[in-house]
Amino acid sequence: MNRLGLHIWLVAIAVLITAGTYAQKYTADTGYQLPDVLLTQSGKKITSAKDWEKSRRAEILKLFEENVQGKTPAKKMPLKFVTLSINTHALNGTATRKQVRAYFTTDEKYYMDILLYLPGNTGKPAPVFLGLNFGGNQAVHADTGIFISQRWFRYANAPAYINHYATEASRGAQSNDWEVEKILAAGYGLATVYYGDLQPDSAGSVNAGIAPLFYKAGQTKPADDEWGAIGIWAWGLSRAMDYLETDKDVDAKKVAVVGHSRLGKTALWAGAQDKRFAIVISNNSGEGGAAITRRKYGETIAIMNKAFPHWFSGHFKKYNDRENDLPVDFHELIALIAPRPVYIASASDDQWADPAGEYQSGYYASPVYNLYGLQGLISVTPPGINTPVSEGSIGYHMRQGEHAMRLYDWQQYIRFADRFFRK
Ligand code: GCU
């Protein structure tokens, strides 16, 4: 065999091995047993909301911290909020736009920028959807008053992002995911932060984010039981909530935290840890978010940890190809949000995120909602495409189409939030 032939063979073998490892498996495993959300590790059955809160909830939260997302540091930072701009006649006079810089400490290189739109002329504090964004605040809407993020981006798709930095052309680049006018017209505000303000979404760049603020002397990266990027981004959502609580134009008791995909995983973790989030919304969060991991359908723990080693804790790597050994499954992440309303959305073309597994985590979290006398999801089978089930405190729909956050999703979130926020 000549050298070229050998080379082709080697490449072919490598491709086969990789394909085997990363095979996109679209049949669910069935021979697994889900951890019983109401059974404590010492074998006690939980039968009341009081017992759930007293023992089992804390136990599950700890299991997620220790095995999945990693621990969030308890240390309080000396936050400072500086309003950089306010425009009370934004979006053709229909809205107020505020841009607020939240400094995390006295070293002013650590900050995040909050973009906040509020519906105009309501004369009362507004309920707000809060979510991290992927493209920078300026990508959320074409509004030329939004400051362009100077941070590093995962994207390098010119002209919007050149060499991983945003240009003018990135304005409104992701406005399809953020229905700003529709949200405002429904009487809600929208608060958003670029997730890269907290930590760049790239393996090996943890020290370019806020993690070093929490290091012990001599520490150079988070320990195996400490947070990864998902934990850091979720921390940022809580700091944005700290700001919202200070803004008199916001009804901080009515903040719904929302996120798409990896930021949906993040929204769930933020909502699980921080009870100030009154509603939690997961848009196509998939593996490590709403999907039941034991199904091993679509993305798995091993695939995710290999592609994105920086998202979860070091300890989570122990469960690569060993999902049955994980002491929790992701219906228990949903259960941590109880009794607050939670909404899980899938998309029909997004099999990678396992729509049926996302539904099932809502279904198997329902017993905890029942303890509070609340309805979760009743049917073990997911509904059809574009058929939301959202009469109870757990909402679900599978939108027809791709992995994204679209108008249809927002319409369901607004309808769901209206039920709780506009009583
Ligand atoms: C990849 C990844 C998912 C993630 C998604 C996203 O597809 O495998 O886990 O949710 O990216 O964040 O868009």
Side-chain angles (χ1 to χ4, degrees):
M1 195 178 332
N2 63 26
R3 276 178 70 163
L4 181 64
L6 179 66
H7 186 77
I8 290 171
W9 268 108
L10 287 176
V11 169
I13 290 166
V15 165
L16 280 173
I17 291 171
T18 319
T21 317
Y22 291 99
Q24 304 187 1
K25 200 163 86 47
Y26 292 125
T27 41
D29 275 15
T30 48
Y32 60 83
Q33 197 169 357
L34 277 186
D36 181 341
V37 67
L38 293 181
L39 197 64
T40 69
Q41 287 194 297
S42 59
K44 185 173 163 252
K45 185 85 186 169
I46 298 293
T47 55
S48 71
K50 205 166 137 239
D51 279 354
W52 161 259
E53 284 180 18
K54 231 176 53 199
S55 60
R56 181 66 171 148
R57 186 181 186 282
E59 183 175 270
I60 292 177
L61 187 60
K62 194 152 170 266
L63 289 171
F64 274 102
E65 282 171 358
E66 286 173 355
N67 298 286
V68 185
Q69 294 90 348
K71 277 197 221 103
T72 304
K75 180 170 157 194
K76 288 251 178 315
M77 301 306 290
L79 297 189
K80 186 174 83 181
F81 305 117
V82 177
T83 302
L84 302 179
S85 90
I86 298 190
N87 181 338
T88 53
H89 294 90
L91 308 181
N92 302 319
T94 60
T96 292
R97 181 194 62 232
K98 300 190 190 185
Q99 296 182 84
V100 176
R101 183 159 289 183
Y103 292 100
F104 299 131
T105 182
T106 46
D107 181 345
E108 298 205 335
K109 88 172 201 249
Y110 296 101
Y111 67 83
M112 67 180 180
D113 283 340
I114 305 167
L115 168 66
L116 173 63
Y117 281 109
L118 293 161
N121 302 322
T122 63
K124 53 178 201 271
V128 162
F129 288 99
L130 164 67
L132 297 173
N133 67 70
F134 288 99
N137 292 346
Q138 80 285 347
V140 166
H141 195 286
D143 180 350
T144 52
I146 305 175
F147 304 129
I148 294 189
S149 171
Q150 305 297 311
R151 304 273 192 192
W152 181 90
F153 286 82
R154 206 157 52 92
Y155 308 127
N157 50 319
Y161 301 88
I162 295 181
N163 289 330
H164 301 280
Y165 287 88
T167 73
E168 279 287 330
S170 66
R171 292 193 178 282
Q174 298 186 344
S175 54
N176 281 346
D177 286 316
W178 300 96
E179 291 286 347
V180 178
E181 275 86 356
K182 299 282 188 330
I183 294 168
L184 292 167
Y188 288 84
L190 173 70
T192 186
V193 172
Y194 171 49
Y195 76 146
D197 279 7
L198 296 147
Q199 189 190 308
D201 187 1
S202 129
S205 60
V206 61
N207 290 336
I210 59 146
L213 283 176
F214 300 88
Y215 288 165
K216 297 187 203 77
Q219 192 173 356
T220 55
K221 61 178 181 96
D224 280 352
D225 64 342
E226 291 178 333
W227 60 4
I230 302 262
I232 289 173
W233 298 329
W235 182 89
L237 286 168
S238 286
R239 300 298 71 80
M241 184 69 194
D242 292 343
Y243 166 72
L244 294 175
E245 287 188 316
T246 70
D247 189 323
K248 58 173 183 20
D249 297 329
V250 170
D251 185 346
K253 295 265 177 293
K254 296 182 177 168
V255 174
V257 64
V258 53
H260 168 61
S261 207
R262 67 198 68 182
L263 296 178
K265 310 181 208 295
T266 305
L268 288 173
W269 183 230
Q273 296 177 96
D274 190 337
K275 293 183 179 173
R276 293 174 299 171
F277 294 118
I279 295 181
V280 182
I281 302 167
S282 149
N283 193 88
N284 308 179
S285 62
E287 184 69 25
I292 297 285
T293 192
R294 280 168 173 74
R295 284 167 47 83
K296 297 185 216 163
Y297 181 102
E299 189 170 27
T300 63
I301 295 177
I303 295 175
M304 185 172 64
N305 278 339
K306 276 177 198 144
F308 308 100
H310 58 296
W311 283 358
F312 291 88
S313 68
H315 279 170
F316 195 39
K317 317 291 185 283
K318 290 193 293 197
Y319 302 99
N320 288 352
D321 301 313
R322 290 181 48 211
E323 12 304 87
N324 287 310
D325 295 337
L326 185 68
V328 285
D329 210 313
F330 287 79
H331 58 306
E332 293 174 299
L333 182 59
I334 305 298
L336 288 174
I337 294 158
R340 291 164 293 147
V342 58
Y343 199 106
I344 302 167
S346 308
S348 60
D349 296 345
D350 187 19
Q351 293 300 312
W352 186 238
D354 187 11
E358 293 183 307
Y359 175 84
Q360 284 180 12
S361 71
Y363 174 76
Y364 288 109
S366 297
V368 177
Y369 283 79
N370 299 157
L371 291 178
Y372 290 90
L374 298 169
Q375 181 186 318
L377 295 174
I378 292 172
S379 162
V380 67
T381 356
I385 293 175
N386 293 354
T387 317
V389 270
S390 55
E391 313 77 51
S393 290
I394 305 181
Y396 176 86
H397 72 251
M398 175 157 59
R399 172 179 44 78
Q400 170 139 44
E402 59 174 343
H403 178 74
M405 187 155 68
R406 291 289 179 255
L407 178 58
Y408 181 87
D409 302 308
W410 280 107
Q411 286 166 336
Q412 311 319 313
Y413 302 154
I414 290 168
R415 211 154 52 109
F416 189 67
D418 278 352
R419 270 186 47 225
F420 300 96
F421 288 169
R422 302 204 182 279
K423 279 193 269 213

